[in-house]
Amino acid sequence: MGKDFPASPKLHAPGGDKRCNLSWIFGAGGLCFFFYILGAWQQQPSSTVKIDTTRVHLTHCDRPEQQAAVGDASSLDFSAHHAGGGDDDQALLDLAFDSCALKFSEYTPCEDIERSLRFDRDRLIYRERHCPAQASERLRCLIPAPPGYRNPFPWPKSRDFAWYANVPHKELTVEKAVQNWIQYEGDRFKFPGGGTMFPKGADAYIDDIGKLVPLKDGSIRTALDTGCGVASFGAFLLSRNVLTMSFAPRDTHEGQVQFALERGVPAMLGVMASQRLLYPARAFDLAHCSRCLIPWKDYGYWVLSGPPVNWQTHWKGWQRTQEDLLGEMTAIEELAKALCWKKVVERGNLAVWRKPTNHYDCVRNRKKVYRDPPICKAEDADEAWYKPMQACITPLPAVAERSEVSGGKLAKWPSRATEVPPRVATGLVPGITPDVYEADTKLWNERVGYYKNSVIPPLGQGRYRNIMDMNAGLGGFAAAFANDNRVWVMNAVPPFSSGNADVLGEIPQPSSFMDNTTLGVIYERGFIGVYHDWCEAFSTYPRTYDFIHANRVFSMYRARNKCDLVDILLEMDRILRPEGAVIIRDEVDVLNKVKRIASGMKWESRMVDHETGPFNREKILVSVKSYWVGESSG
């Protein structure tokens, strides 16, 4: 008896082996084809966003499905593989935001003029941040651009020109005509670089300062300009590799900060009143005041230069008595001494004081010479998010000898951008060692290179000038642009953020207030930024940023369950310019929800693979805000 082999003719009816062979062949072929298609889908190169400058005018009632697409409409779709269904997802699909009325085209939620009138006018408290407290106060609509809005001039031309249609206010051309701040010429504004105290121009004024302080050797990198006007001081310091944080309140001089940002100059809304400025301790190498109208002698703040300096020459023009100005100058001199500041020089209209490198002697002076202001008691010197000012001297880090520099000596620019910052070298930032810091720098160099080469090439071609990093960590993203003077980065650090989470590959979790602040590290690297909680509006005008980078912002806020992701996205839309771009890095299920909301805001979006490949659950969402303008009621 023969053995029963599978292929034995005794076990099959005539012709059965042919049918089996054909079925096996078709089945195997089908599987091969399926895996070929699957492999091709997974290994396809990441798509890039194609920036199309064609402008589509939409009325304020248009819905996203009526828009013309900006760029290629194709995109990688992950929803079928990663996102679940449910009522929440369906609600997101149905979102479509209408335009706000045109009267809100310059709306600044936390500096709203009508809301500010409810607060105390003493010490300008009413001009501080006062954000909408109730959800019913918040606008859930899209802030419109004014009719005729155009993309700003590219840098460096934007330093000297801006389109009138973008900031349609001529008040400063009249009020400051003799001071050469700004001129109106046809369809544009021109910025000659003048200022109240520098009628010959900011360049000549800065040259005068350069004779008194070292502006060219890299030792001065970050500056603070108080009451900045249209920020010509900061604009012209950029050519000296000095990066200036300029601020001014939203006041009767329409659009000061708006003009500054339209020019491509770092600036934000702010005022020195009852709250600390939103910066860490030891942040700036130089502080500047030129007619900034702050009553220094009354409230005990700092000063570098400005009236009543050289009052002997200007007292008649200022329409004040000699006795009054002498008294004010004397009070400032005494205050500077009490702060342990040393007057370096007074020449012409400039007076310069220098803060000590440590408080070795200053602490002793509190007992022997000065009692007021006292040294502040134990506190976090870097804490600044809604932190009341105190009439005391913030102590510098302790030193063992008079010759030491408190906190460590900073490297000169440009080495400062990459060398290990003193805060990291001395272990002041929990969890951030020099090795972690260097790994983070390398990581962001690679990521930004991937953005420029494969995700959104215009990022490396000068297309974007004003960049916002919403969760800046150690400033690695900004450092990757350190050699590109066509861009600057505003580094925002949420006051509860965890700076080492991204390096360690973890989603930031809820943590105690200010437990791992990294903004001080960013300043030590020679960059600028602020503390900011994205549950509130940023202190800037609409349409002031060309590009927004959001690294794990939405996972961080979802974990805290503190505010609605819709409100964060609407705030991003408010501060983003038409045809501006956004890169959002996050878990793919989070990005799918963000993408649905973004489609209701007239954004064109696509998903892109992580730089390490398609098997990483973290993805990159790239969006472009479409061009549209509001309708005039007339």
Side-chain angles (χ1 to χ4, degrees):
M1 174 180 277
K3 295 182 179 181
D4 292 336
F5 291 104
S8 171
K10 293 182 180 180
L11 302 178
H12 303 281
D17 57 327
K18 294 181 181 179
R19 287 191 299 272
C20 180
N21 288 339
L22 288 173
S23 298
W24 187 88
I25 291 170
F26 282 121
L31 285 173
C32 289
F33 180 76
F34 171 77
F35 284 112
Y36 171 80
I37 295 298
L38 180 62
W41 173 74
Q42 289 179 331
Q43 297 180 20
Q44 61 181 325
S46 296
S47 301
T48 61
V49 170
K50 183 178 179 183
I51 305 299
D52 185 353
T53 57
T54 301
R55 292 175 174 176
V56 183
H57 291 265
L58 304 175
T59 66
H60 72 274
C61 293
D62 283 349
R63 295 170 63 89
E65 60 266 25
Q66 297 172 314
Q67 299 174 50
V70 177
D72 190 349
S74 63
S75 63
L76 298 177
D77 180 11
F78 291 87
S79 58
H81 307 282
H82 299 287
D87 295 338
D88 184 52
D89 288 341
Q90 185 60 46
L92 292 176
L93 286 171
D94 295 337
L95 278 177
F97 300 93
D98 289 331
S99 169
C100 305
L102 189 58
K103 68 178 182 179
F104 292 106
S105 67
E106 295 178 359
Y107 182 55
T108 54
C110 296
E111 290 82 13
D112 180 59
I113 296 174
E114 293 183 8
R115 185 181 298 106
S116 70
L117 297 178
R118 308 173 194 169
F119 298 91
D120 193 346
R121 300 182 70 87
D122 183 46
R123 296 175 60 180
L124 302 180
I125 289 174
Y126 75 109
R127 288 182 178 169
E128 290 183 316
R129 286 175 58 84
H130 301 292
C131 301
Q134 305 296 326
S136 59
E137 287 189 88
R138 297 175 183 172
L139 293 179
R140 279 209 163 186
C141 51
L142 305 179
I143 302 297
Y149 180 89
R150 303 172 68 173
N151 282 334
F153 292 98
W155 185 264
K157 187 175 182 179
S158 65
R159 186 192 71 175
D160 303 324
F161 296 97
W163 298 114
Y164 167 75
N166 293 8
V167 191
H169 296 290
K170 298 180 183 178
E171 292 90 341
L172 288 177
T173 65
V174 178
E175 292 182 25
K176 302 296 182 180
V178 298
Q179 296 167 8
N180 227 17
W181 280 26
I182 181 173
Q183 299 169 355
Y184 174 65
E185 298 180 350
D187 60 354
R188 66 194 66 184
F189 292 110
K190 181 179 180 180
F191 301 91
T196 306
M197 295 303 296
F198 36 98
K200 295 181 180 179
D203 245 353
Y205 176 73
I206 292 169
D207 285 342
D208 288 340
I209 294 176
K211 297 172 184 176
L212 309 178
V213 297
L215 291 178
K216 295 182 178 180
D217 67 355
S219 58
I220 294 178
R221 165 61 181 173
T222 57
L224 182 70
D225 188 17
T226 308
C228 63
V230 294
S232 289
F233 181 73
F236 283 86
L237 273 176
L238 287 168
S239 63
R240 289 138 172 108
N241 282 324
V242 177
L243 190 60
T244 305
M245 175 70 80
S246 300
F247 73 91
R250 177 161 187 163
D251 59 12
T252 55
H253 297 321
E254 286 289 343
Q256 292 181 89
V257 167
Q258 191 176 16
F259 276 122
L261 287 158
E262 193 69 19
R263 299 172 69 184
V265 180
M268 64 183 296
L269 292 168
V271 63
M272 295 187 73
S274 67
Q275 304 287 325
R276 281 184 176 179
L277 298 178
L278 300 176
Y279 319 119
R282 313 191 313 278
F284 298 99
D285 305 310
L286 182 147
H288 174 258
C289 160
S290 175
R291 295 297 298 271
C292 52
L293 303 179
I294 293 175
W296 305 107
K297 65 181 180 66
D298 293 334
Y299 300 118
Y301 301 132
W302 50 265
V303 63
L304 175 67
S305 66
V309 175
N310 198 14
W311 60 269
Q312 298 92 336
T313 301
H314 298 291
W315 68 276
K316 290 184 178 179
W318 293 339
Q319 297 181 347
R320 294 174 63 185
T321 67
Q322 296 184 64
E323 292 76 12
D324 182 27
L325 288 164
L326 174 60
E328 183 175 336
M329 190 67 193
T330 301
I332 290 175
E333 297 275 14
E334 288 300 315
L335 173 60
K337 290 178 183 178
L339 292 172
C340 304
W341 289 23
K342 180 181 179 180
K343 191 171 186 178
V344 177
V345 66
E346 181 175 346
R347 185 180 301 169
N349 296 327
L350 296 169
V352 179
W353 286 264
R354 187 174 186 181
K355 183 178 178 179
T357 56
N358 60 59
H359 281 161
Y360 189 89
D361 292 319
C362 192
V363 172
R364 290 162 175 77
N365 287 342
R366 295 309 97 185
K367 300 177 180 178
K368 298 178 180 179
V369 182
Y370 297 101
R371 293 187 177 181
D372 293 317
I375 302 293
C376 300
K377 295 182 179 180
E379 63 170 7
D380 185 347
D382 287 338
E383 190 176 339
W385 183 248
Y386 289 117
K387 176 71 173 180
M389 283 185 182
Q390 300 179 51
C392 56
I393 300 174
T394 301
L396 291 170
V399 297
E401 299 179 1
R402 185 178 283 107
S403 59
E404 289 184 45
V405 177
S406 289
K409 189 174 182 179
L410 295 173
K412 293 185 177 181
W413 183 264
S415 300
R416 189 170 160 182
T418 53
E419 287 194 13
V420 177
R423 274 176 166 86
V424 174
T426 56
L428 292 179
V429 185
I432 306 298
T433 65
D435 288 342
V436 170
Y437 167 80
E438 290 173 355
D440 184 74
T441 300
K442 180 180 178 182
L443 175 69
W444 282 107
N445 272 328
E446 293 172 353
R447 287 179 169 179
V448 172
Y450 176 61
Y451 293 164
K452 292 178 179 179
N453 296 327
S454 302
V455 179
I456 185 163
L459 185 58
Q461 299 168 0
R463 168 67 177 81
Y464 309 111
R465 170 65 181 171
N466 302 353
I467 296 179
M468 167 66 74
D469 191 4
M470 295 177 66
N471 185 23
L474 299 174
F477 175 81
F481 293 93
N483 296 322
D484 190 348
N485 61 13
R486 297 171 298 180
V487 307
W488 65 271
V489 180
M490 178 69 79
N491 294 281
V493 174
F496 47 79
S497 67
S498 181
N500 64 340
D502 192 54
V503 177
L504 301 178
E506 301 169 351
I507 295 293
Q509 297 298 315
S511 55
S512 61
F513 187 83
M514 301 280 289
D515 71 331
N516 197 11
T517 299
T518 57
L519 189 56
V521 173
I522 291 171
Y523 273 95
E524 288 184 343
R525 300 184 75 170
F527 306 112
I528 59 174
V530 293
Y531 298 116
H532 186 69
D533 183 348
W534 289 102
C535 287
E536 297 183 4
F538 195 77
S539 290
T540 191
Y541 284 89
R543 303 173 302 281
T544 46
Y545 285 89
D546 304 290
F547 187 94
I548 298 176
H549 181 252
N551 177 42
R552 292 182 169 179
V553 169
F554 294 95
S555 286
M556 180 169 60
Y557 277 91
R558 186 176 66 167
R560 292 181 62 83
N561 195 29
K562 186 179 179 184
C563 57
D564 198 324
L565 302 188
V566 171
D567 291 319
I568 298 176
L569 280 162
L570 285 172
E571 174 60 7
M572 293 169 68
D573 182 80
R574 185 185 74 88
I575 69 175
L576 186 65
R577 285 176 173 153
E579 298 181 335
V582 177
I583 283 182
I584 304 174
R585 303 178 65 95
D586 223 309
E587 294 285 288
V588 69
D589 60 329
V590 174
L591 292 185
N592 277 317
K593 292 185 177 182
V594 170
K595 188 171 184 286
R596 294 187 185 104
I597 299 170
S599 68
M601 301 193 309
K602 307 177 183 179
W603 289 12
E604 293 293 329
S605 304
R606 70 179 63 210
M607 204 86 78
V608 179
D609 282 334
H610 191 273
E611 61 270 7
T612 61
F615 299 107
N616 194 316
R617 281 193 59 83
E618 182 179 88
K619 303 295 178 186
I620 299 170
L621 184 69
V622 189
S623 300
V624 177
K625 179 179 176 178
S626 62
Y627 177 89
W628 62 279
V629 299
E631 286 186 330
S632 173
S633 59

